[in-house]
Amino acid sequence: MIDFILSLIKFTAIFTCILYAYTKLLRIKLKAWDLVDFPIFIALSAVLHFVKIYVKILVPIGYLIFGIVFLFLRFKKPFYETVAVGTIALGISIVLSALATFLSVPIAAALYLIKNEIVKNIIEQLTISAIQIVGVYILFKIKRLRSGVDPKAATFEILLFLSVGCIFTWMLSYTKNASQSIYEIAMLVVALFGLLLILWWFRHIKYNYREAVKQQNFNLMEDTIEEYKLNSVEKDLQAAVYAKLFHYLNKAVPDCAILAESAAAQTGCADACAARDMLQRVLREMNLANEKCSLQSIPQTGVRVIDAPIIQLFTAAESKNFNASADISADVESWFTESDLHKEDIHILLSYLCDNAKISALGSPNAQVRVELSATADKKPFIRIYDSGEQFDEEVLAKLGIEQVTTRAGIGGSGIGLFTVFEILAKYGASFTLDEAPQSHGFSKVIEIAFDERHSVTVRTCRESVVAACAARKEITVDLIGSDEETLRDGTNG
């Protein structure tokens, strides 16, 4: 009977330590009603007492099995986590039990004076159990263990290995003698492999967890990159739309200001004056020059929207000191009454081409730009823009009309203007010709736009590098002008 009482005290204390260590490792807060667990511990201790009587070597495994089952049913944590943390909690309890036994030696010596062996043994076991319980309480007051142990940390794995070693060592201490029976040896081997299985299982679960987290992070990263790409494409599209809009406004607003000022001067209308003043404020906000031309004999078409880019060209020529000229031999008004041309499109086309010609010509001595509005042999609208600037770069010609490309990227060029011109040409099926050897004296190139519905692109050049650059563009006809003025139409140098 005394042995039964001692077992109940000892085993209940160990189960109590397992519970406390488990909750602290997982940062679970104990409540007052957890005291009802003690009757369960006493019942489990009674079962282990009989295991101790018949198969003593299985007592440590009994602690592990009973402890894990109780903790799993009590706290409902994942099973693999309960097994791993429960094993560590048992390992801590075993170490504290051994330490408590060692510390109780002086007390056991003092109890020697008690003659009643039953009382002495009970007091000694109660002392050991009390030291063990106080020890586990003090252990988790250490700052390092106060916040528990992260199952993903390397410390956790080390504690699990040490706990398995403690359990197996404790099993060896429960052996009777060196010459064990075949059954007890088999039990030791099974227990060892069982404990090793716990270690392997934990490492497997941990590896799968890490792989799952890694895959989850990878998928999250892929989703983030995909979202970033979509956002980037959307922002690039918005930027392209805004860039095209601002590019047009930079050309259109000054023309609107000219028209509003002319209307205000001619009519004195209050609305026209208000529009003029508002547009002048807009120009200042856009940091655009509000220049006025003093020339009186600027060629006019009679279509104010079309006249505005020509006036802007002459205004720039006066302020920047280059030569501008215009020849208007066509009835421009009929372009918009007898065909499907829109004034706004021709305005944009003239604005962009005149602006590009002006910028190109200003980089050359004796800069000059000329605009001609006439008709083809079929009486179709025909536009020529001459300038004295440098020839187009081969890269620009190779991507003509299919990409926004500019040779002035470092000084504000964007390629939007020429690209927009080709969009307008495609809309009307118009033909584009770049002639690098115009007949007019003083000009280095001329751009010809014919609204002939042929939608052709022709480059006349004496540069073989241009032929090579445009070789891949089947829709471009390259006329190579030889030194003897012979033009070869097959895109080669003969």
Side-chain angles (χ1 to χ4, degrees):
M1 184 65 183
I2 182 62
D3 192 39
F4 178 73
I5 295 173
L6 293 176
S7 294
L8 291 182
I9 297 172
K10 179 179 180 180
F11 297 164
T12 301
I14 291 178
F15 279 122
T16 302
C17 290
I18 291 173
L19 172 65
Y20 189 81
Y22 179 86
T23 55
K24 289 299 179 180
L25 287 171
L26 291 182
R27 298 179 291 279
I28 300 172
K29 189 174 181 180
L30 289 171
K31 298 178 177 60
W33 61 274
D34 284 306
L35 293 173
V36 300
D37 294 336
F38 281 101
I40 300 175
F41 294 159
I42 293 172
L44 294 176
S45 299
V47 174
L48 277 182
H49 171 73
F50 293 105
V51 172
K52 177 183 174 182
I53 293 174
Y54 296 106
V55 192
K56 185 177 181 181
I57 198 172
L58 292 182
V59 171
I61 294 298
Y63 280 123
L64 183 62
I65 295 173
F66 289 160
I68 288 173
V69 171
F70 168 78
L71 294 172
F72 179 73
L73 296 175
R74 168 66 180 80
F75 297 104
K76 301 295 191 298
K77 293 290 183 180
F79 187 66
Y80 80 91
E81 187 178 88
T82 303
V83 172
V85 180
T87 302
I88 294 174
L90 176 57
I92 292 173
S93 300
I94 292 171
V95 172
L96 290 174
S97 177
L99 183 62
T101 303
F102 176 75
L103 293 176
S104 67
V105 171
I107 298 174
L111 294 175
Y112 182 75
L113 298 175
I114 300 176
K115 301 303 181 179
N116 191 321
E117 289 295 326
I118 295 176
V119 174
K120 182 173 70 174
N121 290 337
I122 291 175
I123 293 174
E124 183 179 354
Q125 186 58 58
L126 285 172
T127 303
I128 295 172
S129 298
I131 294 173
Q132 184 179 358
I133 293 172
V134 171
V136 75
Y137 176 79
I138 295 174
L139 178 65
F140 285 97
K141 288 297 180 180
I142 298 174
K143 186 176 181 180
R144 177 66 183 82
L145 295 175
R146 194 179 301 166
S147 57
V149 179
D150 185 2
K152 298 187 288 294
T155 308
F156 188 88
E157 193 167 340
I158 293 172
L159 286 174
L160 182 60
F161 274 95
L162 292 175
S163 298
V164 168
C166 288
I167 295 170
F168 187 73
T169 303
W170 201 21
M171 288 185 67
L172 292 178
S173 69
Y174 272 77
T175 55
K176 296 177 182 178
N177 49 54
S179 57
Q180 293 295 310
S181 67
I182 187 66
Y183 300 107
E184 291 183 329
I185 293 175
M187 289 179 186
L188 278 174
V189 172
V190 170
L192 176 61
F193 278 99
L195 293 171
L196 292 177
L197 180 63
I198 292 175
L199 291 177
W200 172 85
W201 185 42
F202 175 76
R203 291 179 67 89
H204 177 71
I205 293 293
K206 189 175 182 181
Y207 172 79
N208 287 346
Y209 172 80
R210 287 178 175 174
E211 288 297 312
V213 170
K214 188 186 298 183
Q215 185 63 40
Q216 183 179 7
N217 292 337
F218 178 77
N219 294 338
L220 181 62
M221 183 64 69
E222 278 193 332
D223 293 341
T224 302
I225 292 173
E226 191 64 28
E227 183 179 358
Y228 175 79
K229 286 181 179 178
L230 292 175
N231 291 338
S232 179
V233 170
E234 183 178 357
K235 289 178 180 178
D236 288 345
L237 180 60
Q238 291 178 349
V241 171
Y242 292 149
K244 185 175 180 179
L245 176 61
F246 292 150
H247 191 273
Y248 171 68
L249 289 175
N250 283 335
K251 305 297 184 295
V253 174
D255 291 347
C256 291
I258 290 175
L259 297 177
E261 188 166 355
S262 175
Q266 291 177 13
T267 66
C269 174
D271 290 343
C273 293
R276 175 199 61 196
D277 296 340
M278 186 177 293
L279 284 168
Q280 287 176 352
R281 286 196 298 272
V282 172
L283 286 173
R284 287 194 296 271
E285 290 295 325
M286 295 176 68
N287 198 27
L288 295 176
N290 185 22
E291 299 173 341
K292 297 181 180 179
C293 185
S294 63
L295 301 176
Q296 301 299 319
S297 57
I298 300 175
Q300 303 287 304
T301 66
V303 182
R304 300 301 292 166
V305 175
I306 306 303
D307 290 337
I310 300 174
I311 295 172
Q312 284 283 16
L313 177 64
F314 278 82
T315 301
E318 186 178 21
S319 63
K320 299 183 183 298
N321 195 25
F322 68 90
N323 183 33
S325 60
D327 180 19
I328 303 172
S329 60
D331 180 7
V332 176
E333 289 188 19
S334 67
W335 289 4
F336 310 109
T337 58
E338 298 177 4
S339 66
D340 58 352
L341 290 183
H342 292 284
K343 296 177 184 178
E344 295 78 10
D345 290 334
I346 304 303
H347 167 259
I348 294 173
L349 188 147
L350 280 175
S351 296
Y352 288 171
L353 290 180
C354 288
D355 192 58
N356 286 346
K358 174 193 69 177
I359 295 170
S360 178
L362 286 173
S364 65
N366 302 319
Q368 52 183 323
V369 177
R370 180 175 176 80
V371 179
E372 292 183 0
L373 305 180
S374 59
T376 65
D378 298 332
K379 300 185 189 233
K380 300 289 186 180
F382 190 54
I383 300 171
R384 284 193 181 98
I385 309 292
Y386 295 84
D387 72 73
S388 60
E390 292 183 357
Q391 303 294 356
F392 283 105
D393 188 89
E394 289 87 344
E395 181 183 356
V396 174
L397 296 177
K399 299 178 181 179
L400 202 62
I402 58 174
E403 289 186 28
Q404 290 181 192
V405 60
T406 179
T407 55
R408 300 184 292 109
I411 54 174
S414 63
I416 293 176
L418 195 56
F419 187 78
T420 304
V421 167
F422 271 84
E423 288 182 334
I424 295 173
L425 298 183
K427 177 179 178 180
Y428 295 103
S431 296
F432 174 94
T433 300
L434 169 63
D435 191 344
E436 295 185 349
Q439 299 301 314
S440 299
H441 179 69
F443 296 102
S444 59
K445 62 180 179 291
V446 59
I447 289 177
E448 299 176 350
I449 306 294
F451 291 88
D452 54 7
E453 299 181 357
R454 294 180 182 176
H455 199 197
S456 63
V457 180
T458 304
V459 177
R460 298 184 71 246
T461 181
C462 58
R463 295 184 292 164
E464 294 189 9
S465 58
V466 173
V467 177
C470 297
R473 298 287 302 278
K474 302 302 181 184
E475 70 275 21
I476 295 180
T477 301
V478 180
D479 293 342
L480 182 61
I481 306 169
S483 58
D484 57 353
E485 300 298 325
E486 181 185 0
T487 302
L488 302 177
R489 300 284 180 176
D490 59 356
T492 69
N493 61 2

